[in-house]
Amino acid sequence: MKSNLISILLFTVLLCNCCKLFGQNDAVIETLVEKIEWYGSHKQSASFFVHFDKTVYTTNENVWFTGYLLNGNQDSAHQIMSVALIRNSDRTILSEGKFIIVGNYSHGNLVLPDSLPAGDYNFICFTNRRVNGFPEALFIQPVTIKSSNLSSFTASLTLVNPAPSLDSTKILVRGFTPELALLKNAVVNFSFGTLENPVLKTTTKTDKFGEASISIPNALIAATNNILVTEVNNGKEVKPFTIKLSVSHKQLVVKFYPEGGNMVGGVKSLVGWEVTTLNGEPMKVQANLYQDDIKLLGIETDEYGLGSFTFTPAIGSAYHVQLTNVPTVKYPLPNTMANGPVVHLLNSLATDTVRLRIFNLPAGTVWKMLLHNFRETFLSSSFTATGATVLLKLPLEEVPIGLHTITVVDEQGKPWAERLFFVHPQKRVTVNIATDTSSYSTREKVTMKLRLMDEKAAPIKGLVSVACVQNNRLDEKKLSNIEEYVKLQADLSSIPFKSKLLSADPQDSAFLERLLLVRGWRRYTWQDVLAVNESRKTVQKASLLLKGFVTYKGKPIKQPVNLFIRRFVSEKAPTFSLLNTDSAGRFNLGWDAIASTPYKPVYIKLNMADPYDYNVTLNDEYGMLNKSLASFLTLKGTEVRSIEEAPEVLAISAAEGARKLQDVVVVAKKENYMARGRPGRNACDDYVCLYNILNCPNHLEGFEPVVNVAYSSGLGKGQQIYRGCTQLNEEQNQTYYLQINGVFLPKKYYVTDFTITDPTDPQYVSTIYWNHSLLTDDKGEAEVTFFTSDIPGKFRIVVQGLTQDNVVYGEKMFEVRKKQ
């Protein structure tokens, strides 16, 4: 909260004799401010962002990421970042890992299992800190995963009886082997309804004709209940895909948003409105506004389903909208109030000041105004109206960048009007990305320079992560932009998909104005804020733990025992440490006790001569929270298509092996750019890649290392002698012994240098550069070099990160052509 809630001289009244200001302490305002701050501390805030190198992956591929704590890391409370891969269709956790947080950021990588079915997934990311049981910092990233394996069959879906007059809809699945033989006895799972709550689930098998079918009663098919998830499994491969079944008529949701929250009789009102399908798809429509049965004016929405109109409502009249293509349906506007204030924001994209006009204030009434973001209050005041209209000009120099709200309340603290606006849209960091040319050959060196500048074109220091990837591995609808996320998306609900939300282009600014109008009453509600009382003000903050305990013959022990921990903090040799339990056998594993090289297991065993009747158990609170979040969070990025819109897109291509053909294609022509598998690993998962690098993070295939032979460590660190695999194989199934994944230490991306080695095997690498933490100098500049791979086509550089008081996003495209 800003110092002393400066009330009176922080804004200027522009209309004379419009109101009288009070500068003394105000108990109502103080109470509201206290409740807002408690409410903000209770809620998970937009404090966490994770930059992933791509949004389209293949199985058996590396996923690189950097997590940013945007609100700082006071007292180093955030120590571990958890990353888990969730399959959308069944909420299954397929991969997870823990990564050390250093300062305000964390980075790492996960290797996708080669057994993953193709389809839609989400990465759920959070830190170890919880507020009232929920992650204090949470981020969700949707991705698409495509199969890198040769397809063992193809499948297609057909709508057998599309006639709406029938009682049911029949869906037929057909499968074939690569030799075009019929796919017999393959398991087919059908799930119909919604992804979260299916109303019909069944399992069958393909018959001797390679077919399986399901009939769905038409009575069950509605616009909010029409998703069919199908999985075909031949025992070697699972092919899932999701479609929408058509409904008898297109149902629409029409919502109206009077500016400030209410329409008042006799006062001109600006009304935002939004039209979507019941599945949330925006609709561009034309319509007419009616007063009772008299047409007032024509209105429309844009391609994002948003629009606005202005009129003066009358008390006693009813207002509704009729769409021109559905004239029989009336969509009523909210009821008109007899009295109350009406607010109008003259500039919802505010640079240095915001101007607010308040109408319909009876003379002599006392009102209060707060400028806040539902976490912190920046301006507040009480005033008595001496006229019907008040015009306020509020300075914003000390108000941070982002979304803020002006709320008008009465003497008792009841909110009457509220308006959302965006502060300092002009304060953006510009990223100038330059490459030495716009077109390269395969395996050619790229020199990239970047420069960060503030809104005054002055150089600025920043810490950024940089990815250069094959362009068709970046699905625009799933690509996360740190600037748009921090400043808009994290606080607004269900924004229609649109690129360049914060562009200075007039059309983009007009869209943002409409968006702020219809999202004015946000996910935070005043009902929740006002319900805060003394009994609810306790904020319980805690850290997730890795809790273990030791028992003897199934019973608690009565005195401490000693645990032996072995882990790898480098590739060269293991590190050993000891840990004592308490007298009841309980122990906690801090991150520093189990920090390890990625994918090197941590071994924990009892340090005693005769441990055989003891049992060591570990409860992973991170894993339990992953399961809980996966079960109830709204997962993003599941795309569905109607059969009647494009039946051909439902065929599952053997070459692509993905859910839908309209997804980004990972292969080009007949060349396979997928990862190849992970052969050549020993029992400790050690391997040497074709560049003679031990446990190379970029190339996942290779050969087993030989004991006492020197291998490159990559990244210019010279060579190291491999000391061998020391896995305790004889203890794998003993109860006194645990093998767990530790908290992974950072692993850097290895940049392939084709001037040093030029392998004959094709190098189909889609992420050709990744840098988790590139720091610009005093001139705001940084320079890096890397090489193109053997994949031709467009590549995109994406830069995301932080400056001292802002966030950074930038892109640059270049072309790669085949070497002649």
Side-chain angles (χ1 to χ4, degrees):
M1 182 173 59
K2 295 302 176 185
S3 59
N4 299 322
L5 295 174
I6 302 175
S7 305
I8 180 169
L9 295 179
L10 285 181
F11 64 84
T12 303
V13 182
L14 299 182
L15 292 187
C16 297
N17 300 320
C18 63
C19 65
K20 297 178 181 178
L21 300 177
F22 295 92
Q24 69 270 20
N25 292 333
D26 190 313
V28 172
I29 285 182
E30 292 287 351
T31 300
L32 287 174
V33 169
E34 183 183 1
K35 289 186 176 185
I36 286 173
E37 294 190 344
W38 180 90
Y39 190 75
S41 66
H42 176 72
K43 294 291 183 180
Q44 180 265 330
S45 62
S47 60
F48 191 44
F49 179 86
V50 184
H51 175 196
F52 286 81
D53 64 322
K54 299 188 284 262
T55 60
V56 179
Y57 294 92
T58 65
T59 57
N60 202 22
E61 187 174 28
N62 258 310
V63 178
W64 299 92
F65 44 82
T66 295
Y68 296 94
L69 282 165
L70 305 168
N71 293 349
N73 190 5
Q74 289 78 16
D75 302 322
S76 298
H78 300 271
Q79 297 179 338
I80 296 175
M81 176 177 70
S82 171
V83 179
L85 179 66
I86 312 298
R87 185 182 176 201
N88 288 13
S89 60
D90 58 8
R91 305 299 178 110
T92 302
I93 299 174
L94 280 308
S95 182
E96 54 189 324
K98 305 176 188 69
F99 304 86
I100 293 175
I101 296 175
V102 179
N104 290 352
Y105 81 106
S106 176
H107 64 91
N109 70 295
L110 286 175
V111 179
L112 297 176
D114 56 10
S115 59
L116 288 180
D120 295 319
Y121 291 76
N122 273 264
F123 283 103
I124 295 179
C125 313
F126 56 84
T127 72
N128 56 288
R129 293 291 291 172
R130 290 182 295 177
V131 176
N132 293 340
F134 196 78
E136 185 175 6
L138 174 68
F139 182 82
I140 302 175
Q141 173 63 54
V143 296
T144 301
I145 294 179
K146 304 200 177 243
S147 175
S148 62
N149 300 319
L150 293 176
S151 183
S152 58
F153 70 94
T154 61
S156 65
L157 253 67
T158 305
L159 184 63
V160 177
N161 52 339
S165 60
L166 298 178
D167 294 333
S168 63
T169 297
K170 184 177 180 180
I171 309 296
L172 181 66
V173 175
R174 293 188 178 94
F176 302 90
T177 68
E179 296 79 21
L180 299 182
L182 298 175
L183 185 68
K184 303 176 182 179
N185 295 318
V187 176
V188 182
N189 294 313
F190 292 102
S191 176
F192 173 76
T194 64
L195 294 177
E196 292 78 12
N197 298 297
V199 297
L200 179 63
K201 298 182 73 171
T202 185
T203 299
T204 184
K205 289 187 177 182
T206 55
D207 58 21
K208 62 182 179 180
F209 301 106
E211 298 178 348
S213 65
I214 182 176
S215 293
I216 301 173
N218 286 339
L220 295 179
I221 304 175
T224 55
N225 206 51
N226 69 332
I227 297 177
L228 177 66
V229 178
T230 306
E231 288 187 343
V232 184
N233 186 347
N234 70 341
K236 299 179 181 178
E237 182 181 0
V238 178
K239 288 186 180 294
F241 47 91
T242 304
I243 62 172
K244 285 190 304 184
L245 301 183
S246 61
V247 294
S248 57
H249 62 281
K250 184 168 288 187
Q251 301 178 39
L252 298 178
V253 175
V254 180
K255 295 181 178 179
F256 301 97
Y257 305 90
E259 185 177 24
N262 297 301
M263 299 188 309
V264 177
V267 182
K268 181 181 288 188
S269 292
L270 173 64
V271 179
W273 70 306
E274 182 177 23
V275 181
T276 67
T277 66
L278 287 176
N279 288 316
E281 299 169 359
M283 296 293 295
K284 182 177 182 178
V285 300
Q286 292 182 334
N288 293 308
L289 172 66
Y290 288 84
Q291 180 179 6
D292 299 320
D293 292 322
I294 301 173
K295 177 182 174 181
L296 289 184
L297 69 155
I299 59 177
E300 63 182 5
T301 62
D302 59 18
E303 60 184 302
Y304 306 104
L306 304 178
S308 64
F309 54 91
T310 302
F311 78 112
T312 301
I315 299 173
S317 292
Y319 296 88
H320 70 269
V321 164
Q322 292 178 215
L323 307 183
T324 55
N325 60 340
V326 192
T328 58
V329 181
K330 297 181 180 180
Y331 299 95
L333 271 68
N335 293 330
T336 302
M337 298 177 60
N339 53 59
V342 173
V343 301
H344 175 59
L345 208 60
L346 277 65
N347 53 327
S348 61
L349 301 181
T351 54
D352 299 321
T353 59
V354 61
R355 293 176 295 162
L356 177 73
R357 184 175 278 119
I358 308 176
F359 302 96
N360 203 44
L361 296 178
T365 54
V366 177
W367 299 89
K368 305 171 192 304
M369 184 278 301
L370 298 95
L371 192 159
H372 60 94
N373 61 7
F374 278 102
R375 291 182 292 273
E376 187 175 5
T377 302
F378 300 95
L379 302 175
S380 65
S381 182
S382 295
F383 61 90
T384 298
T386 57
T389 302
V390 173
L391 180 60
L392 302 177
K393 181 180 178 181
L394 311 180
L396 302 173
E397 287 83 359
E398 297 187 21
V399 179
I401 301 170
L403 292 171
H404 295 273
T405 296
I406 293 175
T407 304
V408 178
V409 303
D410 61 18
E411 283 188 279
Q412 289 73 42
K414 175 184 175 181
W416 279 85
E418 183 170 287
R419 188 60 160 91
L420 181 68
F421 67 105
F422 188 83
V423 176
H424 304 313
Q426 83 285 2
K427 290 187 177 180
R428 301 184 61 197
V429 177
T430 301
V431 186
N432 184 4
I433 305 171
T435 53
D436 44 354
T437 183
S438 60
S439 180
Y440 298 87
S441 298
T442 53
R443 302 196 184 190
E444 186 177 355
K445 185 178 181 180
V446 178
T447 299
M448 182 201 76
K449 298 180 180 180
L450 63 87
R451 186 167 185 253
L452 306 184
M453 297 172 288
D454 64 17
E455 70 274 12
K456 298 179 181 179
I460 186 171
K461 280 188 174 182
L463 179 69
V464 298
S465 47
V466 182
C468 183
V469 303
Q470 187 181 2
N471 188 55
N472 63 7
R473 294 294 199 97
L474 293 169
D475 184 342
E476 290 290 346
K477 290 188 177 182
K478 297 180 179 179
L479 181 62
S480 295
N481 176 324
I482 189 172
E483 184 178 32
E484 294 177 356
Y485 177 81
V486 171
K487 297 178 180 179
L488 287 174
Q489 293 169 337
D491 272 350
L492 292 181
S493 60
S494 61
I495 297 178
F497 170 74
K498 185 186 184 304
S499 60
K500 300 179 181 178
L501 286 173
L502 294 173
S503 165
D505 183 273
Q507 291 185 349
D508 296 326
S509 296
F511 166 80
L512 188 53
E513 292 270 10
R514 292 191 294 272
L515 181 67
L516 295 176
L517 178 61
V518 302
R519 294 294 188 269
W521 294 80
R522 297 183 291 160
R523 61 187 174 96
Y524 301 110
T525 66
W526 270 104
Q527 288 80 3
D528 286 343
V529 173
L530 297 178
V532 173
N533 52 43
E534 293 301 324
S535 64
R536 294 184 57 195
K537 287 184 180 178
T538 301
V539 179
Q540 297 179 349
K541 293 190 176 183
S543 288
L544 294 165
L545 299 173
L546 294 169
K547 299 188 297 185
F549 56 93
V550 179
T551 58
Y552 178 72
K553 293 184 177 181
K555 298 180 180 179
I557 60 177
K558 298 181 180 180
Q559 58 184 4
V561 294
N562 192 251
L563 296 172
F564 171 83
I565 301 175
R566 190 187 66 168
R567 58 194 171 98
F568 282 83
V569 295
S570 70
E571 302 289 350
K572 296 181 179 180
T575 298
F576 304 96
S577 60
L578 297 175
L579 176 68
N580 290 323
T581 71
D582 64 12
S583 59
R586 296 183 296 255
F587 63 93
N588 292 330
L589 292 175
W591 69 265
D592 50 344
I594 55 173
S596 67
T597 298
Y599 306 106
K600 289 286 190 179
V602 175
Y603 303 95
I604 303 172
K605 61 173 290 187
L606 282 166
N607 187 30
M608 58 177 62
D610 186 13
Y612 303 103
D613 290 328
Y614 288 83
N615 184 68
V616 182
T617 305
L618 185 67
N619 291 331
D620 185 352
E621 291 187 352
Y622 294 86
M624 292 187 287
L625 184 55
N626 275 326
K627 292 180 181 178
S628 176
L629 293 174
S631 67
F632 75 83
L633 283 178
T634 299
L635 299 181
K636 309 174 184 178
T638 297
E639 298 183 30
V640 292
R641 294 290 299 266
S642 300
I643 288 180
E644 71 276 8
E645 291 175 339
E648 69 278 2
V649 304
L650 302 177
I652 300 177
S653 165
E656 184 184 12
R659 180 175 300 188
K660 304 179 296 296
L661 290 181
Q662 75 271 20
D663 282 335
V664 177
V665 178
V666 182
V667 295
K669 298 181 181 179
K670 295 183 180 179
E671 295 174 297
N672 185 1
Y673 296 148
M674 306 294 189
R676 295 172 161 230
R678 288 183 285 170
R681 294 174 180 247
N682 62 19
C684 290
D685 212 30
D686 293 325
Y687 67 100
V688 179
C689 80
L690 72 167
Y691 294 103
N692 206 46
I693 298 172
L694 183 64
N695 296 321
C696 174
N698 292 24
H699 307 97
L700 306 178
E701 71 278 5
F703 55 88
E704 292 190 21
V706 179
V707 177
N708 294 326
V709 171
Y711 298 102
S712 173
S713 59
L715 302 168
K717 291 185 178 180
Q719 291 189 324
Q720 58 179 296
I721 297 176
Y722 183 66
R723 299 302 182 185
C725 177
T726 56
Q727 189 172 13
L728 304 179
N729 296 313
E730 71 279 3
E731 297 178 345
Q732 288 295 308
N733 298 317
Q734 301 299 327
T735 60
Y736 60 85
Y737 168 82
L738 287 177
Q739 177 179 315
I740 65 172
N741 288 324
V743 178
F744 294 152
L745 294 165
K747 192 167 188 175
K748 292 186 178 181
Y749 180 93
Y750 172 71
V751 177
T752 302
D753 188 341
F754 287 110
T755 63
I756 297 176
T757 180
D758 194 15
T760 57
D761 292 341
Q763 300 299 294
Y764 295 137
V765 181
S766 60
T767 296
I768 59 176
Y769 183 74
W770 170 260
N771 192 323
H772 62 271
S773 57
L774 182 64
L775 184 65
T776 61
D777 59 20
D778 292 336
K779 297 180 180 180
E781 297 176 346
E783 178 178 323
V784 298
T785 60
F786 52 91
F787 285 78
T788 63
S789 66
D790 287 333
I791 301 178
K794 292 183 178 180
F795 278 73
R796 192 188 315 186
I797 299 169
V798 176
V799 176
Q800 310 208 58
L802 306 174
T803 65
Q804 183 175 357
D805 57 1
N806 212 332
V807 290
V808 177
Y809 184 86
E811 293 184 358
K812 172 76 174 181
M813 200 87 72
F814 63 83
E815 189 86 18
V816 176
R817 61 186 184 276
K818 284 188 175 181
K819 186 179 294 184
Q820 301 299 322

